Amino acid sequence: MVVSVLEEMRIRSLGVIDDAVVELSPGFTAVTGETGAGKTMVVTSLGLLLGGRADPALVRIGAKAAVVEGRITVGDGDTVALRAEEAGAEIEDGALLISRTVSAEGRSRAHLGGRSVPVGVLAELADELVAVHGQTDQQGLLKPARQRQALDRYAGDGVAVPHEKYAAAYRRLRAVVVELDEITTRARERAQEADLLRFGLDEIAAVEPLPGEDAELAAEAERLGHAEALASAAALAHTALAGNPEDQEVVDATTVVAAAGRSLDAVRSHDPALAALADRIGEISILLADVSGDLAGYADQLDADPLRLASVEERRAALTALTRKYGEDIGAVLAWSEAGAARLTELDGDDDRIGELTDERDALREELSALAQALTDARTEAAARFAADVTEELASLAMPHARVSFAIRQTEAPDEASGIDVGGRSVVYGPSGADEVELLLAPHPGAQPRPIARGASGGELSRVMLAVEVVFAGSDPVPTYLFDEVDAGVGGKAAVEVGRRLAKLARTAQVVVVTHLPQVAAFADRQLLVEKTVDGSVTSSGVTVLEGEDRVRELSRMLAGQEDSQTARAHAEELLATARADSA
């Protein structure tokens, strides 16, 4: 299966680099050059390609934008290829093209396989492609939290499985404690809220409003308040339609329409059109009779009782008192009543809820205690293996007598309420368990193990960092490792051993090292020289693949600062011969 490998990068208008192509070896590539020549820009370029932060200050002065392009060889079906295809990228002949553009104004664009993608997609690929380590990572390794993370990463599922269960229980316990604190600390406020709810619900229950009752009563009040006018209007309309039996001289609409119908009935047989009109007049007669009857019934049923009107107004006043407090109409008042009753049930159930939460909290604390103990046991077991592996690697890095170990301990809790029981003691705990993990180093026999922050020199720390990464390479490998002057503080025989170990790591992964040490560069399968030229006020850097005599000259410069020193050249050739013999 083909492993994902970064084959080539092109860098334009980035820092001191005007335009350069970086050709990387599938094995071990060393990047060398004078201080300030731009070696770090190679690391920065790779960071940009893999979703790093875009800083407009990196854009070369006078340029509109900095551009970094890369070509990665990917295997069919590997994680990188699958994620790239999910993002819409095209992979041609096993090659995946990545580009990142940073404008002088700060805008950033990313492309993956010819498709524009969010920068976050490149960052996701970085997790699968490259492990980047520099001097800042060494400083990070000094922090106990990072040391615990390193141990957990090495332990794999042995720690990951109980840690996942622990984290879920921890989150639930935090939520339970917050809710419990809220209920108990706000007891007075919640009691006041319950009293107000009871008062409101009792007030609404006393009135017993019905849905839509306010609208119905408003209509009835309007009708009762104008009963006399309504009765008079209905009577006049009825007389106009049906006539007045006591006054025969008044001509009513029913009589007139009936006369019109009779006049047409006599001749309707002679013309269908006229017959149709006669039928319509007949319909009008029927309609007039119906309306006349309804008017008579309306007038008879109309109640002008002032007592009823007073009763309606009194009821409306009671409903209005509710709508002023609880809603714009009776429907809203009833909705408030329903919600209030539910909330009151919740508040009245606080005592029960407190009991339930207390029981759940105690159960979760017991569960966390067991899981924290499981984490401690798993870390203790993994720490012994991890320390042994790193110690073995240090022997290959010119530290044959050094011993690495882990101190795994817990801090006593100030009181039982703030801790959990681990090993029969109440200890402080957090989202990752109760363990404090510290990496210890005894650099030589008889030395007491001390935290690496206090017990390791710069060179020793570099080698410990490299040893840790080599151990990780065996348990959790990535295709490419980038070391940015991780060999700082190392020299002499130790530097040779670092170069030898990096070459060994490069047998199973791609290794890129930015270094100032000739002992390290000599072991590289490919050496790249970053050189700076000055032309007036414009500085540019190029990247050259060194071979043969050119490589000897660069190693001589790194050794003695003099490319043409015969002694330095002899030493350089000896380094190259040693490296070739090791790789043979």
Side-chain angles (χ1 to χ4, degrees):
M1 178 178 176
V2 178
V3 177
S4 298
V5 172
L6 180 63
E7 289 186 335
E8 182 181 277
M9 284 195 304
R10 183 178 183 185
I11 308 167
R12 287 179 287 171
S13 302
L14 184 70
V16 298
I17 298 179
D18 181 22
D19 192 346
V21 175
V22 180
E23 299 178 0
L24 301 173
S25 166
F28 181 5
T29 300
V31 181
T32 63
E34 294 278 7
T35 300
K39 299 189 298 296
T40 301
M41 286 299 102
V42 175
V43 180
T44 302
S45 300
L46 183 57
L48 285 173
L49 270 186
L50 298 173
R53 186 177 67 89
D55 185 355
L58 296 173
V59 179
R60 184 175 172 81
I61 296 175
K64 293 183 179 179
V67 181
V68 182
E69 300 168 311
R71 184 174 71 248
I72 297 174
T73 299
V74 296
D76 292 337
D78 73 3
T79 304
V80 174
L82 292 175
R83 183 65 189 94
E85 289 172 347
E86 287 175 3
E90 294 184 3
I91 300 175
E92 297 182 1
D93 298 327
L96 175 64
L97 302 181
I98 302 178
S99 71
R100 182 83 180 275
T101 303
V102 181
S103 73
E105 293 79 21
R107 292 188 298 274
S108 171
R109 291 180 297 167
H111 290 80
L112 181 65
R115 177 67 62 87
S116 177
V117 296
V119 174
V121 173
L122 301 188
E124 290 178 20
L125 293 182
D127 292 337
E128 303 293 337
L129 277 172
V130 180
V132 181
H133 297 287
Q135 296 192 47
T136 55
D137 297 277
Q138 293 183 26
Q139 298 305 313
L141 189 62
L142 300 180
K143 300 176 181 178
R146 286 286 298 276
Q147 294 171 13
R148 190 200 67 240
Q149 292 170 5
L151 176 58
D152 289 356
R153 174 184 166 192
Y154 174 84
D157 289 343
V159 166
V161 172
H163 186 278
E164 183 178 353
K165 295 178 181 178
Y166 176 94
Y170 179 85
R171 289 191 298 269
R172 178 55 191 161
L173 177 60
R174 292 296 90 198
V176 168
V177 169
V178 168
E179 185 178 354
L180 190 57
D181 287 346
E182 180 184 1
I183 293 177
T184 54
T185 57
R186 292 185 55 209
R188 180 177 300 177
E189 295 176 17
R190 295 167 75 89
Q192 292 173 348
E193 182 185 357
D195 287 343
L196 289 175
L197 286 172
R198 287 192 188 92
F199 178 84
L201 292 171
D202 289 345
E203 191 174 15
I204 294 172
V207 176
E208 295 183 342
L210 299 174
E213 185 181 4
D214 49 346
E216 294 176 3
L217 290 176
E220 185 178 359
E222 184 74 13
R223 187 169 63 253
L224 290 172
H226 298 83
E228 293 184 2
L230 293 172
S232 175
L236 288 174
H238 180 267
T239 299
L241 294 178
N244 186 350
E246 298 179 357
D247 188 357
Q248 299 295 329
E249 294 182 1
V250 176
V251 179
D252 58 85
T254 300
T255 301
V256 171
V257 171
R262 288 193 299 272
S263 66
L264 294 180
D265 285 340
V267 293
R268 64 181 295 161
S269 60
H270 302 301
D271 187 353
L274 190 62
L277 292 173
D279 289 340
R280 291 171 65 187
I281 290 176
E283 293 172 0
I284 293 172
S285 296
I286 296 171
L287 181 60
L288 285 174
D290 288 342
V291 173
S292 177
D294 290 343
L295 286 170
Y298 175 82
D300 291 340
Q301 294 174 4
L302 193 61
D303 186 3
D305 184 0
L307 294 178
R308 174 56 186 169
L309 178 59
S311 175
V312 168
E313 293 296 352
E314 182 180 357
R315 179 64 177 174
R316 291 186 68 201
L319 297 178
T320 300
L322 296 180
T323 56
R324 279 199 301 266
K325 295 181 180 180
Y326 308 111
E328 62 182 12
D329 56 28
I330 290 301
V333 169
L334 293 172
W336 183 94
S337 176
E338 183 178 355
R343 175 60 175 164
L344 183 59
T345 299
E346 178 184 338
L347 293 173
D348 286 342
D350 274 357
D351 290 342
D352 293 338
R353 184 60 178 157
I354 288 174
E356 293 172 1
L357 290 173
T358 301
D359 291 342
E360 185 177 5
R361 180 199 62 190
D362 294 343
L364 285 168
R365 286 168 59 84
E366 290 184 10
E367 182 181 359
L368 279 181
S369 295
L371 291 170
Q373 184 65 62
L375 276 175
T376 299
D377 294 342
R379 284 173 176 148
T380 301
E381 186 276 333
R385 291 187 289 109
F386 193 13
D389 290 345
V390 173
T391 296
E392 183 178 349
E393 285 298 327
L394 288 176
S396 302
L397 294 171
M399 294 179 68
H401 304 298
R403 294 292 180 269
V404 167
S405 60
F406 279 94
I408 300 177
R409 48 184 172 262
Q410 299 82 31
T411 299
E412 294 280 351
D415 53 70
E416 290 188 6
S418 61
I420 57 174
D421 186 276
V422 177
R425 298 182 301 141
S426 180
V427 299
V428 175
Y429 65 102
S432 294
D435 300 322
E436 297 173 10
V437 176
E438 195 164 34
L439 185 61
L440 307 178
L441 173 68
H444 53 81
Q448 289 296 319
R450 299 180 63 192
I452 59 172
R454 299 195 303 270
S457 65
E460 288 170 341
L461 182 58
S462 295
R463 281 176 280 175
V464 171
M465 180 69 188
L466 178 57
V468 168
E469 195 55 56
V470 169
V471 170
F472 281 149
S475 60
D476 184 21
V478 294
T480 301
Y481 293 88
L482 174 62
F483 295 95
D484 182 13
E485 297 194 10
V486 74
D487 50 15
V490 177
K493 180 181 178 181
V496 174
E497 295 303 327
V498 168
R500 184 175 283 120
R501 199 64 193 86
L502 288 169
K504 184 178 180 181
L505 178 61
R507 295 173 189 171
T508 57
Q510 183 181 38
V511 177
V512 181
V513 179
V514 177
T515 183
H516 65 283
L517 293 180
Q519 298 96 324
V520 172
F523 281 88
D525 300 307
R526 173 173 293 175
Q527 184 172 348
L528 303 179
L529 173 65
V530 181
E531 6 180 38
K532 179 171 64 175
T533 60
V534 179
D535 181 9
S537 60
V538 178
T539 301
S540 62
S541 289
V543 180
T544 307
V545 178
L546 298 179
E547 296 178 349
E549 180 64 23
D550 291 335
R551 189 171 185 187
V552 173
R553 284 174 58 82
E554 171 61 8
L555 290 175
S556 299
R557 180 199 65 76
M558 296 172 72
L559 282 164
Q562 300 175 356
E563 296 90 335
D564 298 323
S565 166
Q566 292 302 314
T567 302
R569 288 176 58 84
H571 191 184
E573 290 172 348
E574 182 182 0
L575 281 175
L576 287 171
T578 300
R580 293 191 189 100
D582 275 9
S583 61

